[in-house]
Amino acid sequence: MRAVKDRVFRDPVHGLVEFKGADRPIADLLDTLALQRLRRIKQMGFAWLVYPGAEHSRFGHALGAFHIAQRLTRRLELPEPVARHVRVAALLHDVGHGPFSHAWEHVFDGHDHERWGARIVSEDAELSAALDAIEPGLPATLRAFWDKTYAPQFARKLVSSQLDVDRLDYLLRDGHYSGAGYATYDLDWIIHALQIAHVHAAEADPRDLVVDYRRGMYAVEQYLFARSYMYAQVYHHKTVRAAEHMFVRTLERFAELARAGAEPPHLPIAGAMARGAAVAVGDYLNLHDTAVQAALDRWSGIAGAPAEDPVLRDLAHRLVARRLFKTFDLAGDATAGDALWPRALAIAERRFGEHARYYVSLDASRSVGYVAGVDEELHVVDHPRYGAATLSRLLEDVPLANRIPAIRLVCAPELVDDLRPHVTNVLRPAPAVTKR
């Protein structure tokens, strides 16, 4: 019998990512359609329209998350099979993502990537068989990660929490490929600072994942600032957000037409999702950036006959040709946004009529990018000021400018001149009142 060769990948972020020894069977998952599909989904959505190097895929990110999971489970000396569960869950954590990442979920309600991930590991025959070959019953075990019921909870938090393998990888990876210098932090020292400790005295299992702040306080602060700045300057860059809004509006128009019985061709699976029809896992796995981009090309008219609907045709063409919407920064002033919106909509209606809502919108995004649920919160121990705290509490110490929502008016370029005086008016400071 021939020996099974190890699998080794050269990664620009972590160096060598190795599937050796006990981890070698996990590499067989990489050859399934479900995992190979991630090569056709960009990690950073539409960020490549601003940062030309940001073309990397979720497949590379999956390898990076697996590599960090390897390091952490070894550092924490987790027992088998818990360590194996964490590593496989890390590798598969993004398997349910739709095309263009999170923007897709804004259009098709109820089709979030976590729900699809849980379905794929159980219902895709190829992947499910590969998982069962690693460990009988592993698909059901992985579903517990997405359902947030896996025990022990500290293992689940390594895959989904404030400081999990997903975020630890994507900050470094996205910073590398985008060229942005905001994402640097000391991964080695964070891994060194993570521990398992007894923090829940009243619960059956008192153990949880904690960060030793005195051991890793500078690395943790680096990480918090890196995350905040990457959201402010890269993920929520004004042009990136404008492109995402255009994509969402384009797909919303497609979905509206599908529900009205006038579904445009070239994206039938999305049409079924828009109508609320059941979608099989095998069909969902045929959805990826390449398929949607091909549909956009056809709807726009650059690859065959264009879409009959003028709104869908126009939005698709603008997006494909990178004729992006413009933005007005409202300086985090929600009141200004509320005051401006009726005027902006009225101006858009004069230009685009009943379809105005596809051409103007308000965008609000928080730079911290993530609000942890109670079951995802990470504990911090031995903090010099707070003693015991959480990462959410430490986020409150991030400079206020990076926590104020970025509120912008996003609009078609032909609306800019008419909107500019109204934006200036709502942002103009009120006259000072002189006291006598």
Side-chain angles (χ1 to χ4, degrees):
M1 181 179 294
R2 297 174 59 184
V4 177
K5 291 185 177 181
D6 296 332
R7 298 282 295 273
V8 180
F9 295 83
R10 184 178 293 278
D11 182 68
V13 177
H14 301 295
L16 298 183
V17 178
E18 300 177 329
F19 293 80
K20 295 181 176 181
D23 287 336
R24 174 55 186 86
I26 299 175
D28 293 338
L29 301 175
L30 301 174
D31 298 325
T32 64
L33 173 64
L35 265 292
Q36 288 298 311
R37 169 181 172 269
L38 295 182
R39 293 184 184 273
R40 299 188 292 279
I41 298 180
K42 288 186 174 68
Q43 170 69 17
M44 295 180 67
F46 286 95
W48 55 276
L49 289 172
V50 179
Y51 300 93
E55 297 266 4
H56 55 300
S57 72
R58 289 195 174 270
F59 182 84
H61 168 52
L63 291 177
F66 167 81
H67 175 74
I68 295 177
Q70 274 185 323
R71 295 186 61 186
L72 276 168
T73 52
R74 290 168 183 165
R75 161 75 179 82
L76 297 172
E77 299 180 339
L78 298 189
E80 294 288 350
V82 174
R84 179 168 60 251
H85 296 165
V86 169
R87 293 171 186 177
V88 175
L91 183 66
L92 297 179
H93 77 283
D94 272 352
V95 74
H97 262 291
F100 294 98
S101 301
H102 297 284
W104 182 264
E105 297 175 10
H106 287 288
V107 180
F108 300 102
D109 188 41
H111 290 275
D112 61 89
H113 69 280
E114 292 179 336
R115 185 175 303 180
W116 272 109
R119 284 191 61 186
I120 289 168
V121 297
S122 297
E123 299 177 32
D124 179 63
E126 182 188 30
L127 180 58
S128 181
L131 289 169
D132 272 320
I134 296 171
E135 176 188 315
L138 187 52
T141 300
L142 292 177
R143 286 183 65 99
F145 278 87
W146 280 291
D147 295 340
K148 305 186 188 306
T149 59
Y150 183 88
Q153 64 177 340
F154 64 76
R156 176 172 48 78
K157 287 188 177 182
L158 290 171
V159 181
S160 180
S161 71
Q162 284 274 54
L163 198 66
D164 57 29
V165 297
D166 174 25
R167 290 166 180 82
L168 289 173
D169 178 75
Y170 79 59
L171 282 178
L172 294 176
R173 187 168 304 276
D174 295 351
H176 171 83
Y177 281 101
S178 67
Y182 310 106
T184 302
Y185 70 91
D186 193 339
L187 173 63
D188 294 338
W189 210 250
I190 283 184
I191 291 175
H192 178 64
L194 284 171
Q195 301 177 5
I196 298 169
H198 287 212
V199 295
H200 304 296
E203 297 184 15
D205 188 350
R207 299 170 300 170
D208 210 338
L209 192 64
V210 303
V211 180
D212 183 334
Y213 195 82
R214 289 192 182 276
R215 177 179 291 182
M217 62 180 178
Y218 294 117
V220 170
E221 288 180 353
Q222 248 189 331
Y223 165 81
L224 293 175
F225 278 89
R227 194 177 74 180
S228 178
Y229 291 142
M230 280 293 286
Y231 272 91
Q233 300 296 324
V234 178
Y235 304 131
H236 292 165
H237 185 285
K238 64 178 183 179
T239 307
V240 175
R241 294 292 285 187
E244 289 175 351
H245 272 263
M246 293 177 68
F247 176 75
V248 168
R249 293 294 177 265
T250 303
L251 268 293
E252 284 179 346
R253 182 59 177 174
F254 167 83
E256 182 179 44
L257 293 169
R259 288 190 292 268
E263 179 182 324
H266 311 307
L267 208 58
I269 303 168
M273 294 168 67
R275 295 190 302 273
V279 175
V281 161
D283 290 335
Y284 183 79
L285 290 176
N286 289 322
L287 281 173
H288 43 69
D289 289 11
T290 307
V292 175
Q293 187 65 61
L296 290 170
D297 289 347
R298 292 186 176 99
W299 295 339
S300 71
I302 71 167
E308 294 181 3
D309 179 72
V311 176
L312 182 66
R313 180 173 64 246
D314 178 49
L315 290 173
H317 187 269
R318 290 176 190 245
L319 191 56
V320 169
R322 202 187 180 281
R323 296 174 183 172
L324 304 181
F325 284 6
K326 304 300 182 181
T327 61
F328 288 100
D329 188 352
L330 303 184
D333 189 342
T335 302
D338 292 340
L340 181 62
W341 175 244
R343 309 178 207 179
L345 187 58
I347 290 171
E349 286 172 346
R350 289 200 295 269
R351 175 64 179 80
F352 296 104
E354 63 178 327
H355 304 305
R357 64 187 179 90
Y358 291 105
Y359 293 90
V360 63
S361 58
L362 276 175
D363 174 38
S365 56
R366 288 190 176 275
S367 298
V368 293
Y370 175 71
V371 179
V374 175
D375 57 349
E376 295 181 324
E377 191 63 78
L378 204 68
H379 297 272
V380 179
V381 297
D382 208 15
H383 191 284
R385 186 187 310 169
Y386 309 121
T390 63
L391 273 191
S392 291
R393 175 63 187 86
L394 299 189
L395 271 175
E396 297 177 11
D397 294 334
V398 173
L400 183 62
N402 290 317
R403 291 192 287 116
I404 296 175
I407 299 176
R408 304 183 181 106
L409 182 70
V410 182
C411 65
E414 49 266 55
L415 301 178
V416 168
D417 289 341
D418 289 338
L419 284 170
R420 182 174 285 112
H422 294 280
V423 173
T424 302
N425 185 56
V426 298
L427 293 179
R428 183 180 294 123
V433 177
T434 303
K435 293 184 179 180
R436 297 180 179 270

